[in-house]
Amino acid sequence: MKKFLAALCLLSLTGPAFGAEISPAQLDTLSGDIVVLGEIHDNPTHHLNQARAIKALEPAAVVFEQLTPEQAAKITPALLKDEGALEKALDWDNSGWPDFAIYYPIFAALGDAKVYGAAQPRETVRAAMTKPLPEVFGPNAARYGLDKAYPEDLQAKLEAESQEDHCNALPPDLLPGMVAAQRFRDAVFARVALEALKETGGPVAVITGSGHAKTDLAVPALLRKADPQAKVVAIGQIEAEPGTDPGTQPFDDWIITPPTERADPCAAFK
């Protein structure tokens, strides 16, 4: 525990901000300089909630985990009005993301927001798994805490979580790289969000997985470290069966939805 607390001090973070469960209707009064909107990627309800949040926030910029900078640059007001043409222009079918139809409500809600892509090339993410993170990230790595290794107990905890997330099927020697890749991507998303804030004046919305929206070590924590003056709000979305209590969550606020129907994600590992 002492090492875990030291890690947070090392990163100059304030620690996780535990808020409360909210309803989708409460998104209508959302405000902030940078609002991180988490999702479970294949849950259509989560994307409808994100679209609702964007309509309320009226952001000057929206950062997408799902888009590369090159894809984002292709988006025009005309394309945003044509679901089929936009899907084709983004080559979404080859992106590896769930059906474009469940993401389209977010794009339809963008209005005049400038679109930023935060996805990194696969080879860059792979490099982050084996090379020092400052070398892969480039200048200002220390601003996002990438110049410091995690303490051993925190690293072990994150490796165990990564193993569980991958159905306990990963070779143990891959786990440090998986943690490093997640840390790298968190830092990139934070960097792009701050670039968007500087260039547009904000507010900025970030569309990303709820794992990246956590306030302990993920994008919101890195944003607060890099720019303590910015008002950062992290909204997580999680799934739980009706009537169950998922407990306190590491978000500023969170929304709980029923699980979406999906095939067993561990079937491929059996």
Side-chain angles (χ1 to χ4, degrees):
M1 177 58 72
K2 289 182 179 179
K3 289 184 177 180
F4 177 76
L5 294 175
L8 298 187
C9 293
L10 183 71
L11 292 171
S12 300
L13 306 178
T14 59
F18 296 117
E21 180 185 351
I22 63 173
S23 70
Q26 289 173 270
L27 296 172
D28 295 341
T29 57
L30 196 60
S31 65
D33 295 320
I34 301 177
V35 179
V36 184
L37 299 170
E39 65 182 44
I40 294 178
H41 300 309
D42 64 348
N43 190 313
T45 301
H46 290 192
H47 303 308
L48 293 175
N49 289 337
Q50 289 169 320
R52 183 171 187 165
I54 287 174
K55 289 177 182 178
L57 188 63
E58 296 184 339
V62 179
V63 176
F64 281 88
E65 171 189 355
Q66 298 80 7
L67 300 179
T68 65
E70 293 75 20
Q71 286 174 304
K74 295 178 180 180
I75 295 177
T76 65
L79 275 178
L80 289 176
K81 297 177 182 179
D82 188 329
E83 180 178 348
L86 179 60
E87 179 180 8
K88 184 176 180 180
L90 297 177
D91 193 23
W92 193 271
D93 286 347
N94 294 313
S95 70
W97 292 101
D99 188 2
F100 186 73
I102 68 173
Y103 273 93
Y104 181 66
I106 303 172
F107 290 98
L110 291 182
D112 296 327
K114 183 176 180 179
V115 180
Y116 289 76
Q120 296 295 291
R122 292 180 181 177
E123 58 269 22
T124 303
V125 177
R126 284 196 294 266
M129 297 178 69
T130 57
K131 296 181 179 180
L133 289 178
E135 178 182 328
V136 182
F137 187 81
N140 298 318
R143 186 183 184 192
Y144 302 91
L146 298 183
D147 59 327
K148 305 293 184 182
Y150 285 145
E152 290 182 7
D153 54 349
L154 176 57
Q155 178 71 27
K157 174 179 177 290
L158 295 174
E159 288 182 16
E161 290 176 355
S162 182
Q163 181 69 282
E164 184 178 356
D165 289 343
H166 292 86
C167 305
N168 296 305
L170 293 179
D173 60 351
L174 284 184
L175 295 175
M178 298 297 291
V179 172
Q182 180 82 357
R183 191 177 180 187
F184 169 74
R185 295 176 71 222
D186 282 335
V188 170
F189 298 167
R191 179 174 64 187
V192 174
L194 287 176
E195 290 172 353
L197 180 63
K198 181 178 180 180
E199 292 174 2
T200 68
V204 175
V206 180
I207 301 297
T208 188
S210 284
H212 293 292
K214 293 180 178 179
T215 53
D216 48 7
L217 295 171
V219 175
L222 300 182
L223 287 168
R224 287 166 176 154
K225 170 181 167 52
D227 187 353
Q229 302 305 313
K231 180 185 177 183
V232 177
V233 178
I235 306 295
Q237 295 194 87
I238 63 173
E239 295 178 338
E241 294 291 347
T244 61
D245 180 7
T248 303
Q249 298 292 317
F251 308 105
D252 294 321
D253 291 303
W254 61 89
I255 295 171
I256 300 173
T257 70
T260 193
E261 291 187 11
R262 60 175 65 88
D264 179 4
C266 294
F269 296 100
K270 295 177 181 178

